[in-house]
Amino acid sequence: MVIWESFKRGSNSSIGQFASFYLIGIPGYENVHHFISIPFSVLYLIGITGNCAILHIIHINTSLHEPMYYFLAMLSLTDMGMSISTLPTVLKMFWFNAREIGVNACVAQMYFIHTFSLMESAVLLAMAFDRYVAICDPLRYSSKLSPQRVVYIGIFMVIRCSFVLPVVLARVPTFSFCRSRVLSHSFCLHQDVIRLACDDISFNILYGLFVVAFYWGIDSLGILLSYAFILHSVLGIASKEGKLKALNTCASHICAVLILYVPMIGLSLVHRFAKHSSPIIHITMANVYLLVPPVLNPIIYSIKTKQIRQGFLRILVPKKLGFPHI
């Protein structure tokens, strides 16, 4: 903690424009950053490898070329995007104690982190719609979610999430930072950077609130409405086995929604109501929010989805053992 405090005091004297920010790891544990990097490295390895495996399984098995698995592939791509966006600065800092990051590199990292975060929420909404159609209107599933429409949905999600942030992020390099250049995490977040600015940041704050309310709000409302209709339809099924079977097809998606939204809400609450709490709490919540979904999503889908589980087994079990084809 002493090292971090002296480092922070040394960077407070910067007035006006500058070319870099400084990242932090775990305050007070700088001497053991090399050991702390081990679980981070393992999480990145599991997340990237698991999502690559899902993409490979869906690609090589034509029986999985269906809307549900196309959306799962999109989820894996966004998960990998979230992991790769934070990986360079996190591991560089823990491995080499390289804290400095240029302002342009910081803005680029902010863009990719927040864009993939918005995109993941949009993919989960598309997956909720997929489950709604499959359960509530199964006879028209193929026509409503044809491969062409799935492609259009994917393109729309990319456009929807890619062009909203440059408007606000382009202002960051123009700000003056006369307080400190030390950020609160080992990666750049918009809300973390602008709090250090000495200029008027009202536009950035209001625009950020708009993005959260409009994008996350609409996505979460759409997911809730989809599951309200799904629950209504499931309750109309006569047999208990039929109800359980229908709900089981949604289990993986519900888990994916929870592991994205619960840490996100927790991080927001910490920033709102625990501003003066230990920095470790803020750092832990931010890392959970960005690292846990890419790690858990492949695990959840490999456990709950038979076809994906068999695909993983075919990768892990040698062919000479005669594991059956999917």
Side-chain angles (χ1 to χ4, degrees), residues 207-254:
Y207 194 89
L209 290 174
F210 161 76
V211 171
V212 170
F214 186 78
Y215 282 75
W216 288 87
I218 287 179
D219 292 346
S220 58
L221 180 61
I223 293 171
L224 287 174
L225 288 175
S226 296
Y227 275 101
F229 287 116
I230 289 173
L231 185 60
H232 180 268
S233 179
V234 168
L235 292 177
I237 299 176
S239 66
K240 182 178 179 181
E241 292 77 10
K243 292 179 181 179
L244 292 175
K245 183 178 180 180
L247 290 175
N248 189 55
T249 63
C250 302
S252 300
H253 178 256
I254 292 174

Coordinates of all heavy atoms in Angstrom, one line a residue, residues 207-254:
Y207 N -24.3 11.2 -21.2 CA -24.3 10.2 -22.3 C -24.1 8.8 -21.8 O -24.7 7.9 -22.3 CB -23.2 10.6 -23.3 CG -23.3 9.9 -24.6 CD1 -24.1 10.5 -25.6 CD2 -22.7 8.7 -24.9 CE1 -24.2 9.9 -26.9 CE2 -22.8 8.1 -26.1 CZ -23.5 8.7 -27.1 OH -23.6 8.0 -28.3
G208 N -23.2 8.6 -20.8 CA -23.0 7.3 -20.2 C -24.3 6.8 -19.6 O -24.6 5.6 -19.7
L209 N -25.0 7.6 -18.9 CA -26.3 7.2 -18.3 C -27.3 6.9 -19.4 O -28.1 5.9 -19.2 CB -26.9 8.4 -17.4 CG -26.1 8.6 -16.1 CD1 -26.7 9.9 -15.4 CD2 -26.2 7.4 -15.2
F210 N -27.3 7.6 -20.5 CA -28.2 7.3 -21.6 C -27.9 5.9 -22.1 O -28.8 5.1 -22.4 CB -28.1 8.3 -22.7 CG -28.6 7.9 -24.0 CD1 -29.9 7.8 -24.3 CD2 -27.7 7.5 -25.0 CE1 -30.4 7.4 -25.5 CE2 -28.1 7.1 -26.3 CZ -29.5 7.0 -26.5
V211 N -26.6 5.6 -22.4 CA -26.2 4.3 -22.9 C -26.6 3.2 -22.0 O -27.2 2.2 -22.4 CB -24.7 4.3 -23.2 CG1 -24.2 2.9 -23.5 CG2 -24.3 5.3 -24.3
V212 N -26.4 3.4 -20.7 CA -26.8 2.3 -19.7 C -28.3 2.1 -19.7 O -28.8 1.0 -19.8 CB -26.3 2.7 -18.3 CG1 -26.9 1.8 -17.3 CG2 -24.8 2.7 -18.2
A213 N -29.0 3.2 -19.7 CA -30.5 3.1 -19.6 C -31.1 2.6 -20.9 O -32.0 1.7 -20.8 CB -31.1 4.5 -19.3
F214 N -30.6 3.1 -22.0 CA -31.2 2.7 -23.3 C -30.8 1.3 -23.7 O -31.6 0.5 -24.1 CB -30.8 3.7 -24.4 CG -31.5 3.5 -25.7 CD1 -32.8 3.9 -25.9 CD2 -30.8 2.9 -26.7 CE1 -33.4 3.6 -27.1 CE2 -31.4 2.6 -28.0 CZ -32.7 3.0 -28.1
Y215 N -29.5 1.0 -23.6 CA -29.0 -0.3 -24.1 C -29.3 -1.4 -23.1 O -29.9 -2.4 -23.3 CB -27.5 -0.2 -24.5 CG -27.3 0.5 -25.8 CD1 -27.4 1.8 -25.9 CD2 -27.0 -0.3 -26.9 CE1 -27.2 2.4 -27.2 CE2 -26.7 0.3 -28.1 CZ -26.9 1.7 -28.3 OH -26.7 2.3 -29.5
W216 N -28.7 -1.3 -21.9 CA -28.8 -2.3 -20.9 C -30.3 -2.4 -20.4 O -30.8 -3.5 -20.2 CB -28.0 -2.0 -19.6 CG -26.5 -2.2 -19.9 CD1 -25.6 -1.4 -20.4 CD2 -25.8 -3.4 -19.6 NE1 -24.4 -1.9 -20.5 CE2 -24.4 -3.2 -20.0 CE3 -26.1 -4.7 -19.1 CZ2 -23.5 -4.2 -19.9 CZ3 -25.2 -5.6 -19.0 CH2 -23.8 -5.4 -19.3
G217 N -31.0 -1.2 -20.4 CA -32.4 -1.2 -19.9 C -33.3 -1.9 -20.9 O -34.1 -2.8 -20.5
I218 N -33.1 -1.6 -22.2 CA -34.0 -2.3 -23.2 C -33.6 -3.8 -23.3 O -34.6 -4.6 -23.4 CB -33.7 -1.7 -24.6 CG1 -34.4 -0.3 -24.6 CG2 -34.3 -2.5 -25.7 CD1 -34.2 0.5 -25.9
D219 N -32.4 -4.2 -23.2 CA -32.0 -5.6 -23.3 C -32.6 -6.3 -22.1 O -33.1 -7.4 -22.3 CB -30.5 -5.7 -23.3 CG -29.8 -5.2 -24.6 OD1 -30.6 -5.0 -25.5 OD2 -28.6 -5.0 -24.6
S220 N -32.4 -5.8 -20.9 CA -32.9 -6.5 -19.7 C -34.4 -6.6 -19.7 O -35.0 -7.6 -19.3 CB -32.4 -5.8 -18.4 OG -32.8 -4.5 -18.4
L221 N -35.1 -5.5 -20.2 CA -36.5 -5.6 -20.2 C -37.0 -6.6 -21.3 O -38.0 -7.3 -21.0 CB -37.1 -4.2 -20.6 CG -38.6 -4.0 -20.8 CD1 -39.3 -4.4 -19.4 CD2 -39.0 -2.6 -21.2
G222 N -36.3 -6.7 -22.4 CA -36.6 -7.6 -23.4 C -36.5 -9.1 -22.9 O -37.3 -10.0 -23.2
I223 N -35.4 -9.3 -22.2 CA -35.2 -10.6 -21.6 C -36.3 -11.0 -20.6 O -36.8 -12.1 -20.6 CB -33.8 -10.7 -20.9 CG1 -32.7 -10.6 -22.0 CG2 -33.6 -12.0 -20.1 CD1 -31.3 -10.4 -21.4
L224 N -36.6 -10.0 -19.7 CA -37.7 -10.3 -18.8 C -39.0 -10.6 -19.5 O -39.7 -11.5 -19.1 CB -37.8 -9.1 -17.8 CG -36.7 -8.9 -16.8 CD1 -36.9 -7.6 -16.0 CD2 -36.7 -10.1 -15.8
L225 N -39.4 -9.8 -20.5 CA -40.6 -10.0 -21.2 C -40.6 -11.4 -21.9 O -41.6 -12.1 -21.9 CB -40.9 -8.9 -22.2 CG -41.2 -7.6 -21.6 CD1 -41.3 -6.5 -22.8 CD2 -42.6 -7.6 -20.9
S226 N -39.5 -11.8 -22.5 CA -39.4 -13.1 -23.2 C -39.7 -14.2 -22.2 O -40.4 -15.1 -22.5 CB -38.0 -13.2 -23.8 OG -37.8 -12.3 -24.8
Y227 N -39.1 -14.1 -21.0 CA -39.3 -15.2 -20.0 C -40.6 -15.1 -19.4 O -41.1 -16.1 -18.9 CB -38.1 -15.1 -19.0 CG -36.9 -15.9 -19.5 CD1 -35.8 -15.2 -20.0 CD2 -36.9 -17.3 -19.5 CE1 -34.7 -15.9 -20.5 CE2 -35.8 -18.0 -19.9 CZ -34.7 -17.3 -20.4 OH -33.7 -18.0 -20.9
A228 N -41.3 -14.0 -19.4 CA -42.6 -13.9 -18.9 C -43.6 -14.7 -19.8 O -44.4 -15.5 -19.4 CB -43.1 -12.4 -18.8
F229 N -43.4 -14.5 -21.1 CA -44.2 -15.2 -22.1 C -43.8 -16.7 -22.1 O -44.7 -17.6 -22.2 CB -43.9 -14.7 -23.5 CG -44.6 -13.3 -23.8 CD1 -43.9 -12.2 -24.0 CD2 -46.0 -13.2 -23.7 CE1 -44.5 -11.0 -24.2 CE2 -46.6 -12.0 -23.9 CZ -45.9 -10.9 -24.2
I230 N -42.5 -17.0 -21.9 CA -42.1 -18.4 -21.8 C -42.7 -19.1 -20.6 O -43.3 -20.2 -20.7 CB -40.5 -18.5 -21.8 CG1 -39.9 -18.1 -23.1 CG2 -40.1 -19.9 -21.4 CD1 -38.4 -18.0 -23.1
L231 N -42.7 -18.4 -19.5 CA -43.3 -19.0 -18.3 C -44.8 -19.2 -18.5 O -45.3 -20.3 -18.0 CB -43.0 -18.1 -17.1 CG -43.5 -18.6 -15.7 CD1 -42.8 -20.0 -15.4 CD2 -43.2 -17.6 -14.6
H232 N -45.4 -18.3 -19.1 CA -46.9 -18.4 -19.3 C -47.2 -19.6 -20.2 O -48.1 -20.4 -20.0 CB -47.4 -17.1 -19.9 CG -48.9 -17.2 -20.2 ND1 -49.4 -17.6 -21.5 CD2 -50.0 -16.9 -19.5 CE1 -50.7 -17.5 -21.4 NE2 -51.1 -17.1 -20.2
S233 N -46.3 -19.8 -21.2 CA -46.5 -20.9 -22.2 C -46.2 -22.2 -21.5 O -46.9 -23.2 -21.7 CB -45.6 -20.7 -23.4 OG -45.8 -21.8 -24.3
V234 N -45.2 -22.3 -20.7 CA -44.8 -23.5 -20.0 C -45.8 -23.9 -19.0 O -46.1 -25.2 -18.9 CB -43.4 -23.3 -19.3 CG1 -43.1 -24.5 -18.3 CG2 -42.3 -23.2 -20.3
L235 N -46.4 -23.0 -18.3 CA -47.5 -23.3 -17.3 C -48.7 -23.9 -18.0 O -49.5 -24.6 -17.4 CB -47.9 -22.1 -16.5 CG -46.9 -21.5 -15.6 CD1 -47.4 -20.2 -14.9 CD2 -46.5 -22.6 -14.5
G236 N -48.9 -23.7 -19.3 CA -50.0 -24.3 -20.0 C -49.7 -25.7 -20.5 O -50.6 -26.3 -21.0
I237 N -48.5 -26.2 -20.3 CA -48.2 -27.6 -20.7 C -48.7 -28.5 -19.7 O -48.6 -28.3 -18.5 CB -46.6 -27.8 -20.9 CG1 -46.1 -26.9 -21.9 CG2 -46.3 -29.2 -21.2 CD1 -44.6 -26.9 -22.1
A238 N -49.4 -29.6 -20.1 CA -50.1 -30.4 -19.2 C -49.2 -31.3 -18.4 O -49.3 -31.4 -17.1 CB -51.1 -31.3 -20.0
S239 N -48.2 -31.9 -19.0 CA -47.4 -32.9 -18.3 C -46.3 -32.2 -17.5 O -45.7 -31.2 -18.0 CB -46.8 -33.9 -19.2 OG -45.9 -33.3 -20.1
K240 N -45.9 -32.7 -16.4 CA -44.8 -32.2 -15.6 C -43.5 -32.4 -16.4 O -42.6 -31.5 -16.3 CB -44.7 -32.9 -14.2 CG -43.6 -32.4 -13.3 CD -43.7 -33.1 -12.0 CE -42.5 -32.6 -11.1 NZ -42.5 -33.3 -9.8
E241 N -43.3 -33.5 -17.0 CA -42.1 -33.8 -17.8 C -41.9 -32.8 -18.9 O -40.8 -32.3 -19.2 CB -42.2 -35.2 -18.4 CG -42.1 -36.3 -17.3 CD -43.4 -36.5 -16.6 OE1 -44.4 -36.0 -17.1 OE2 -43.4 -37.3 -15.6
G242 N -43.1 -32.4 -19.6 CA -43.0 -31.4 -20.6 C -42.6 -30.1 -20.1 O -41.8 -29.4 -20.8
K243 N -43.1 -29.7 -19.0 CA -42.7 -28.4 -18.4 C -41.2 -28.4 -18.0 O -40.5 -27.4 -18.3 CB -43.5 -28.2 -17.1 CG -45.0 -27.9 -17.3 CD -45.7 -27.7 -16.0 CE -47.2 -27.5 -16.2 NZ -47.9 -27.3 -14.9
L244 N -40.7 -29.5 -17.4 CA -39.3 -29.5 -17.1 C -38.4 -29.5 -18.3 O -37.3 -28.9 -18.3 CB -39.0 -30.8 -16.2 CG -39.6 -30.8 -14.8 CD1 -39.4 -32.1 -14.1 CD2 -39.1 -29.7 -14.0
K245 N -38.8 -30.2 -19.3 CA -38.0 -30.3 -20.6 C -37.9 -28.9 -21.2 O -36.9 -28.5 -21.7 CB -38.7 -31.3 -21.5 CG -37.9 -31.5 -22.8 CD -38.5 -32.5 -23.7 CE -37.7 -32.7 -25.0 NZ -38.3 -33.7 -25.9
A246 N -39.1 -28.2 -21.2 CA -39.1 -26.9 -21.8 C -38.2 -25.9 -21.0 O -37.4 -25.1 -21.6 CB -40.5 -26.3 -21.9
L247 N -38.3 -26.0 -19.7 CA -37.5 -25.1 -18.9 C -36.0 -25.4 -18.9 O -35.2 -24.5 -18.8 CB -38.0 -25.1 -17.4 CG -39.4 -24.5 -17.1 CD1 -39.8 -24.7 -15.7 CD2 -39.3 -23.0 -17.4
N248 N -35.7 -26.7 -19.1 CA -34.3 -27.1 -19.1 C -33.6 -26.6 -20.4 O -32.4 -26.3 -20.3 CB -34.3 -28.7 -19.2 CG -32.8 -29.2 -19.0 OD1 -32.2 -28.8 -18.0 ND2 -32.4 -30.0 -19.9
T249 N -34.4 -26.3 -21.4 CA -33.7 -25.7 -22.6 C -33.3 -24.3 -22.4 O -32.5 -23.7 -23.1 CB -34.7 -25.8 -23.8 OG1 -35.8 -25.0 -23.6 CG2 -35.1 -27.2 -24.1
C250 N -33.9 -23.6 -21.3 CA -33.6 -22.3 -21.0 C -32.5 -22.1 -19.9 O -32.1 -21.0 -19.6 CB -34.8 -21.5 -20.6 SG -36.2 -21.5 -21.8
A251 N -32.2 -23.2 -19.2 CA -31.3 -23.2 -18.0 C -30.0 -22.5 -18.3 O -29.5 -21.7 -17.5 CB -31.2 -24.6 -17.5
S252 N -29.3 -23.0 -19.4 CA -28.0 -22.4 -19.7 C -28.1 -20.9 -20.0 O -27.2 -20.2 -19.5 CB -27.4 -23.1 -20.9 OG -27.3 -24.5 -20.7
H253 N -29.1 -20.5 -20.7 CA -29.2 -19.1 -21.0 C -29.5 -18.3 -19.7 O -29.0 -17.2 -19.6 CB -30.4 -18.8 -22.0 CG -30.6 -17.4 -22.3 ND1 -31.7 -16.7 -21.8 CD2 -29.9 -16.5 -23.1 CE1 -31.6 -15.5 -22.3 NE2 -30.5 -15.3 -23.0
I254 N -30.4 -18.8 -18.8 CA -30.7 -18.1 -17.6 C -29.4 -17.9 -16.8 O -29.1 -16.8 -16.2 CB -31.7 -18.8 -16.8 CG1 -33.1 -18.8 -17.5 CG2 -31.9 -18.2 -15.4 CD1 -34.1 -19.7 -16.9

